[in-house]
Amino acid sequence: MTYIPELKSDYDFIIVGARCAGAATAMLLAKGGARVLAIDRQGYGSDTLSTHALMRPAVLQLKRWGLLDRIIAAGAPVVTSTTFHYGPEKVEVPIRAEPGLPGLVAPRRTLLDRMLVDAARSAGATIVHDVVVQDLVSDSSGRIRQVVLKDVGGHSRTVSAGWVVGADGVGSLVARQAGAQTLVRGRTSAAHIYSYAEMPRMEGYHWYYDLGMGAAFIPTDGGLACVGVSVPTARYDAEIRLDIAGNRMKILRSLDPGLAEHVATNDRTPLRAFRGTPGHLRQAFGAGWVLVGDAGFFRDPITSHGISDALRDAEGAADAFLAGNEAALRRFQQERNELVLPILEATDAIATFDGTLDELPGRHRRFSEAMKPETAVLAARERCTRSAGDQTPLAQTA
């Protein structure tokens, strides 16, 4: 365990947030020879709200980083099909297998985030948990240079950095204090209610839709399935939140009575709710700072693409840093924006719940099409295994 008093006085990169976006960024930068510190306010291996369902882009990256087989070995079941339930109509889509890529996976964050943290540490990054950021300090030119930290023991420490990476979620402190501009705002949001139930005799991902409501069945590790219910945020505020448990079961019974019956008797965790918030695309970088994960780009969880976004942008930012020039950061921002704007638009179209059941398959096809350029970019990226002698990290040239 590393404590604040044991930290060095300066690092090439300080990453605020050490979940999937922050830990992946730390791992890739450390592999490139940078001196990296990542901090997180939560404990090591702690849980967080998530749909868990990884799409092909995220699975491709975990495979390239040597983590996919370990996640499967730890108990995350391989998903070989996804089924869309449009009212009484059912459309099953097989997941195309590839060499070394048997299907999709949906690990709980207690597994995925921990594996990424362990991989970052193995690469040489310093990761500390149960530490909060109290402040960011800029120099006379306005460039962020220092991070003020405090741990649960009451120790405070100011640490210098070449760059500060905000991987601290939708309400990012780094984004606020850096004054990151919001480039695009989403136009809708949905509320989501989650729990874990013992795994019923079902395979693959299942997505349920009817007028004004939806649900998800996502097999994860530990013999459990994540079961989610989704409604427009306005309906959640006006109706659902008054009796979350009861209204959730009404929706499940309307969508799939058999699944509802199973969940009613096999729930294994308390309900957790996310009221929803419109998506955003923020400026990716500025004077001494970069945003990755939900801090930089967030879209409604209904399309289960958040972890794919996080891992894609972690790699994009790390590649730009290791290239050793700010032009690479500009290219990262441009590529990110071109990839995510169609994803945001397609997600918003699904999250509105304003279409008919006949319109929904077309909206899902649009989302699938929006992912294809992203998959092509990820497939073409070189594995991030550069040594310190191959490139000069941007922090060392700033």
Side-chain angles (χ1 to χ4, degrees), residues 315-327:
E315 187 174 63
D319 282 350
F321 280 132
L322 295 173
N325 60 82
E326 290 201 25

Side-chain angles (χ1 to χ4, degrees), residues 341-357:
L341 286 174
I343 290 172
L344 175 59
E345 177 59 30
T347 297
D348 272 357
I350 296 168
T352 58
F353 287 99
D354 66 352
T356 67
L357 287 180

Side-chain angles (χ1 to χ4, degrees), residues 353-398:
F353 287 99
D354 66 352
T356 67
L357 287 180
D358 289 339
E359 292 175 311
L360 266 176
R363 297 186 183 192
H364 286 124
R365 285 193 293 271
R366 281 171 52 196
F367 180 76
S368 181
E369 289 297 316
M371 283 197 298
K372 288 182 178 179
E374 175 188 48
T375 303
V377 166
L378 294 175
R381 281 182 180 173
E382 182 181 353
R383 184 189 295 271
C384 295
T385 54
R386 304 172 180 87
S387 67
D390 291 331
Q391 310 233 9
T392 302
L394 186 57
Q396 298 177 10
T397 63

Side-chain angles (χ1 to χ4, degrees), residues 66 88 105 130 150 157 182 196 245-246 248 254 262 300 315 374:
V105 291
D130 301 307
K150 185 175 182 179
R157 183 79 183 272
T182 299
Y196 298 94
R248 172 222 187 202
S254 176
H262 177 87
D300 194 277
E315 187 174 63
E374 175 188 48

Side-chain angles (χ1 to χ4, degrees), residues 55-78:
M55 300 295 109
R56 186 173 292 272
V59 179
L60 283 170
Q61 289 188 276
L62 293 173
K63 174 193 170 186
R64 288 197 289 111
W65 298 340
L67 297 177
L68 179 59
D69 288 345
R70 291 166 56 187
I71 287 171
I72 294 171
V78 176

Side-chain angles (χ1 to χ4, degrees), residues 46-307:
S46 61
D47 203 0
T48 189
L49 203 60
S50 179
T51 60
H52 309 299
L54 303 188
M55 300 295 109
R56 186 173 292 272
V59 179
L60 283 170
Q61 289 188 276
L62 293 173
K63 174 193 170 186
R64 288 197 289 111
W65 298 340
L67 297 177
L68 179 59
D69 288 345
R70 291 166 56 187
I71 287 171
I72 294 171
V78 176
V79 174
T80 58
S81 68
T82 185
T83 303
F84 295 90
H85 302 256
Y86 301 110
E89 181 184 359
K90 184 166 67 173
V91 179
E92 184 174 351
V93 181
I95 304 300
R96 185 182 73 255
E98 299 175 7
L101 195 71
L104 306 181
V105 291
R108 287 190 68 170
R109 300 295 292 277
T110 50
L111 171 60
L112 175 64
D113 293 359
R114 178 167 44 82
M115 281 202 171
L116 285 165
V117 165
D118 292 346
R121 284 178 170 149
S122 294
T126 299
I127 315 286
V128 292
H129 289 86
D130 301 307
V131 172
V132 297
V133 175
Q134 292 189 300
D135 200 8
L136 304 179
V137 181
S138 301
D139 63 18
S140 58
S141 71
R143 183 183 180 89
I144 294 176
R145 290 292 188 183
Q146 295 179 316
V147 178
V148 182
L149 309 174
K150 185 175 182 179
D151 65 19
V152 293
H155 304 103
S156 294
R157 183 79 183 272
T158 299
V159 184
S160 299
W163 288 84
V164 173
V165 179
D168 49 343
V170 174
S172 171
L173 171 72
V174 176
R176 287 200 311 274
Q177 294 214 2
Q181 293 183 342
T182 299
L183 306 177
V184 178
R185 294 186 186 276
R187 56 187 172 85
T188 191
S189 70
H192 308 275
I193 305 166
Y194 301 104
S195 72
Y196 298 94
E198 286 189 12
M199 183 80 75
R201 293 182 180 178
M202 297 172 64
E203 293 184 354
Y205 296 153
H206 288 259
W207 313 101
Y208 302 85
Y209 296 93
D210 211 331
L211 298 179
M213 67 184 79
F217 167 85
I218 302 164
T220 187
D221 49 276
L224 299 175
C226 177
V227 180
V229 164
S230 305
V231 296
T233 295
R235 181 183 175 190
Y236 177 83
D237 288 344
E239 174 189 343
I240 304 300
R241 69 181 181 85
L242 302 177
D243 179 8
I244 292 177
N247 285 314
R248 172 222 187 202
M249 289 310 303
K250 287 180 184 178
I251 292 171
L252 282 174
R253 290 189 186 101
S254 176
L255 292 167
D256 189 309
L259 179 60
E261 182 180 355
H262 177 87
V263 170
T265 57
N266 291 279
D267 259 343
R268 292 294 176 263
T269 61
L271 297 182
R272 300 181 69 184
F274 172 58
R275 178 184 173 274
T277 187
H280 63 243
L281 176 63
R282 291 179 177 138
Q283 176 185 354
F285 75 99
W289 58 269
V290 169
L291 302 178
V292 296
D294 287 347
F297 172 60
F298 170 78
R299 86 278 29 90
D300 194 277
I302 199 164
T303 49
S304 296
H305 201 263
I307 296 172

